[in-house]
Amino acid sequence: MRSIVYVFFFLFISVSVWAQSPFVPLNTDYYHLIDRLEIRQNRWAEGFHSSVKPYNRHSIIRLTDSLAAHPTRELSDTDYFNYDYLRDDSWELAGSPTDSLNPDPFTRHLLPPAGPGDSRKPFLKNFYRKKADFYSLQTPDFDLHVNPVFNLGLGLENVNYRYAEEAGQPGGRQELFVNTRGLEVRGTIGKKLGFYTYFSDNQVIFPEYIQRYGDRYSRDNGIEGSAPGESFIKRFGQNGVDYLSARGYITFDALKIINIQFGHDRNFFGNGFRSLFLSDNSPPALFAKFSTRFGRRIQYTNLFSHLLNTQAPLPQGDRLIPPKFATMHHLSVNINDHINVGVFEATVFSRDRIDLNYLNPIILYRYVESGQGSADNALLGIDFKANFLSHYLVYGQLMLDEFRINALRAGNGDWTNKFAFQLGAKYIDAFGVPNLDLQAELNLARPYTYSHEASPRVSAGQTNYAHFSQPLAHPLGANFIEQLFIARYQRKRLSVNGIFGLMTFGTDPPDVEPDGRPSRNYGGNILLDYTDRVSEDGNFIGQGRKTIVTYADLRASYMVRHNVFLDARFLYRYQDSQYRPYSYTSQVASLALRWNLPYRNWVF
């Protein structure tokens, strides 16, 4: 990883830099508003390619400017509300309210001479002078935004095991809670260097299915339980987890068309609720990202990541988790205003230091990997999206891990045909109802996809597609097929969200070998060595202990004030497994107050 640092600082001190702004943290609800505006204007947004996330704040303001410059009568009062919300959230970049080319109705809510984001009721004069920021400071050379982070939630879960005696679990009622306190700081220095940092302390009791998910991916790494999407945790009580969460980075533009971001955070490639390339499922990781823009048509992204392998056995007395590395690049091309295609490539490798061969930003990684003896895990993907009629977006991904066309034609279920596939669609203002948005998505991954082998040179977990023993792509790992349906409705401050899913996946039998490994590897757990596979052929999705999950999650959120939300949620989840002790029903009801924090969906 030191090589990344050297390259980064060389670029930092050797080139001129241009105005820069931080990025909006990954947030499903927030990003839906942005994607909705892009679909509404019926062409790809200028300033960024929405297949690569997170989004730059300056690019979001440019999108709202474009909407104001080309207004449409089809926008609802809620659309105007969201327009104001997005601009207030990045008020330092929004300019004067009179800058709009169509001040009415976009600025009709403002009372002159109020500026963008102004609060009409500052707190103790120095706080909440801007409605989006608890404290803000602007000088010609410095811009600072400070916000507290808070999430307090209480809930009840009722768990009913279908075969209680075999499960050895009493089921019954469980109290749930979440308690998060933290701080978020962002800003710019000299209008050239952007920065962001986040820190929180968390105590959580998760629902039963989340606890079981964490145990599934911690069983093979010596860690006692886990919190999905987080790294190190401590247990308290019978089911509680205590953990710290932190992210931070700096960012600037080099050579005017190249954006550089360096820090510790999550990244996402894709247009769906899921990503089969890289998602926000695993914990934040150290990374360096280079995004090169060639006009409106082309964006090329290089991502270099330092990951951790918690599966590898540690030498006695050594507590330093072994590193592994991932290099990725993604080429996004706007064929025209309605069609976008992308090419993705990734390699996960293990060395005592980063391999300089993979720092080449414009080479085929598969060539580098095969030229070094094919010890690394190489993956290749393509994606596409198309918008039309100002209401529709169709998108998809295809990820190839290993692929043999002759074996595929033979149709015998060869284990080497490891691939993942996504197809989805979004329909905004569905059936003529303003701000009723629908989304349908299909995801699947063949057995053994994303997994890799251990060898005398490479220990367990060093080259699988995981970070801190959690999948980098889909939370179900592999050997699954998933159908999701999402409905969203918003009326200004009130929004209602429903996620409905049907997931079928195969798990390994519960019995283990003397060394603790599962007795048979059916291809769902990507942490396992694929050389332990059950069969060379005859493999199919759902093999092993077939499990079917029916999932329904309803949530109503009311924005009390800017970025302060009151959430009420009800979840019904039914899991039917061929291994009878794992069959159970979970019902969750909860209420939470959330302040400057994205809502996290736990859908698996």
Side-chain angles (χ1 to χ4, degrees), residues 134-169:
F134 178 76
Y135 177 78
S136 59
L137 174 66
Q138 266 197 324
T139 72
D141 297 318
F142 188 60
D143 175 55
L144 178 69
H145 308 257
V146 180
N147 279 299
V149 171
F150 179 80
N151 187 16
L152 178 62
L154 299 173
L156 288 175
E157 178 185 28
N158 187 56
V159 180
N160 180 27
Y161 281 88
R162 188 174 178 183
Y163 307 100
E165 292 183 2
E166 297 180 41
Q169 299 281 355

Side-chain angles (χ1 to χ4, degrees), residues 429-548:
D429 294 336
F431 311 113
V433 180
N435 303 97
L436 173 63
D437 302 333
L438 305 180
Q439 182 177 359
E441 186 170 298
L442 170 70
N443 298 287
L444 63 86
R446 289 265 303 162
Y448 309 107
T449 307
Y450 303 113
S451 62
H452 209 242
E453 64 179 330
S455 69
R457 290 186 297 162
V458 180
S459 61
Q462 284 294 103
T463 51
N464 56 30
Y465 205 63
H467 167 49
F468 217 89
S469 295
Q470 299 179 45
L472 287 171
H474 197 287
L476 293 179
N479 191 19
F480 71 86
I481 183 169
E482 173 190 55
Q483 301 150 72
L484 293 175
F485 178 77
I486 303 171
R488 302 179 177 94
Y489 177 74
Q490 182 186 3
R491 180 62 180 170
K492 293 188 176 179
R493 294 182 178 273
L494 177 66
S495 60
V496 180
N497 297 265
I499 302 177
F500 310 92
L502 182 64
M503 309 165 212
T504 302
F505 54 92
T507 62
D508 299 324
D511 48 311
V512 297
E513 300 289 350
D515 62 0
R517 294 181 297 106
S519 60
R520 282 164 288 177
N521 176 10
Y522 283 95
N525 188 345
I526 70 170
L527 304 184
L528 301 182
D529 187 337
Y530 62 49
T531 58
D532 293 332
R533 55 190 175 270
V534 294
S535 177
E536 296 294 314
D537 51 34
N539 296 284
F540 59 92
I541 291 178
Q543 67 183 15
R545 297 292 192 269
K546 185 177 180 180
T547 303
I548 300 176

Side-chain angles (χ1 to χ4, degrees), residues 396-459:
Q397 291 181 330
L398 174 64
M399 172 73 96
L400 302 178
D401 190 346
E402 293 185 45
F403 193 79
R404 296 180 181 177
I405 189 65
N406 290 335
L408 181 65
R409 288 175 177 172
N412 60 359
D414 191 283
W415 78 275
T416 59
N417 286 326
K418 303 190 300 179
F419 63 86
F421 176 74
Q422 177 188 85
L423 181 64
K426 298 179 181 179
Y427 177 21
I428 67 171
D429 294 336
F431 311 113
V433 180
N435 303 97
L436 173 63
D437 302 333
L438 305 180
Q439 182 177 359
E441 186 170 298
L442 170 70
N443 298 287
L444 63 86
R446 289 265 303 162
Y448 309 107
T449 307
Y450 303 113
S451 62
H452 209 242
E453 64 179 330
S455 69
R457 290 186 297 162
V458 180
S459 61

Side-chain angles (χ1 to χ4, degrees), residues 66 204 216 243 306 323 325 338 382 388 413 472 569 571 580:
S66 175
V204 185
R216 173 187 178 188
Y243 60 91
H306 177 281
F325 304 93
H338 303 285
I382 57 174
F388 51 97
L472 287 171
R569 179 194 184 206
L571 164 71
R580 295 181 14 157

